[in-house]
Amino acid sequence: MNKIQFSIDCKYFFVILAVLFSSYSIAQQKYVIDNSSNHFWEKVQFGAGLGLGFGSGYTNVSVMPSAIYNINEIVAVGVGLQFGYLYQKNYYESFVYGGSFITLVNPIPQLQLSAELEQVKVDTDYDENYYHPGFSDSYWNTALYLGAGYRTGNVTIGARYDVLYDPNKSLYGSGFMPFVRVYF
């Protein structure tokens, strides 16, 4: 009985997804870059990421502005900055800051492939508790993300994976990370 219910639920889910994506593709804008102009700023797009997480004694705030330069309709390159603050009551307080270089490739208008090299500095102060005395940790974290996403207009929804991910050294709990990317 559970398999039948799961199968019916999945069919409805996939029908809804198909309708949403088909309506997005019909309403999709064609983004055309005018290469006849030599104006640098006409080929630049700006974007930003904002992350907020709050819980019982937990705070996570991150701000990530970025800019890309559209070389042509297929390839764009850019840079980004990152600042993050994490706090867990009675455990730690951490500041993360750094930058990244990104390359975006759109082989077809709906598909965006990305490669992003991220270098961030992590400064963490751990509180003294029953198990450990208080101490500080400071290190650089390097990540190389390869990703793919569905693009419609200026918005891309997808996932990326850190090919340098090491659970003992990496800043994040997983090498896999979903994303929503918007450039204006």
Side-chain angles (χ1 to χ4, degrees):
M1 188 79 165
N2 288 340
K3 285 184 179 180
I4 294 171
Q5 182 65 35
F6 177 75
S7 174
I8 292 170
D9 290 343
C10 283
K11 285 181 184 177
Y12 287 124
F13 177 73
F14 287 118
V15 167
I16 291 169
L17 276 179
V19 169
L20 284 174
F21 280 117
S22 65
S23 66
Y24 279 128
S25 64
I26 291 169
Q28 180 174 315
Q29 302 170 354
K30 179 158 174 63
Y31 182 68
V32 178
I33 299 167
D34 181 12
N35 284 324
S36 64
S37 173
N38 290 329
H39 294 86
F40 175 82
W41 292 110
E42 290 178 4
K43 296 181 182 182
V44 174
Q45 290 181 281
F46 296 97
L50 178 64
L52 297 171
F54 299 100
S56 178
Y58 177 78
T59 303
N60 180 356
V61 178
S62 59
V63 178
M64 299 155 290
S66 62
I68 58 171
Y69 176 78
N70 295 289
I71 295 171
N72 55 38
E73 289 184 21
I74 298 173
V75 179
V77 294
V79 295
L81 296 174
Q82 179 174 342
F83 173 79
Y85 172 76
L86 292 95
Y87 172 78
Q88 177 68 49
K89 184 178 179 181
N90 298 325
Y91 187 54
Y92 71 90
E93 180 178 44
S94 184
F95 294 92
V96 178
Y97 51 92
S100 64
F101 294 103
I102 188 166
T103 299
L104 304 173
V105 178
N106 301 294
I108 60 173
Q110 297 83 9
L111 176 64
Q112 185 175 84
L113 305 175
S114 62
E116 183 174 6
L117 180 63
E118 176 184 88
Q119 180 76 37
V120 293
K121 175 79 181 230
V122 181
D123 292 322
T124 306
D125 291 322
Y126 293 92
D127 293 345
E128 186 174 338
N129 60 36
Y130 179 76
Y131 300 105
H132 300 290
F135 67 96
S136 295
D137 190 16
S138 182
Y139 63 94
W140 286 95
N141 185 72
T142 303
L144 176 59
Y145 294 103
L146 300 179
Y150 174 76
R151 179 178 165 219
T152 177
N154 294 335
V155 179
T156 304
I157 300 170
R160 62 187 191 163
Y161 182 76
D162 179 6
V163 296
L164 302 177
Y165 179 74
D166 179 350
N168 298 320
K169 296 179 182 177
S170 291
L171 173 63
Y172 305 108
S174 170
F176 177 77
M177 196 176 293
F179 68 83
V180 175
R181 190 179 287 137
V182 180
Y183 284 103
F184 298 97

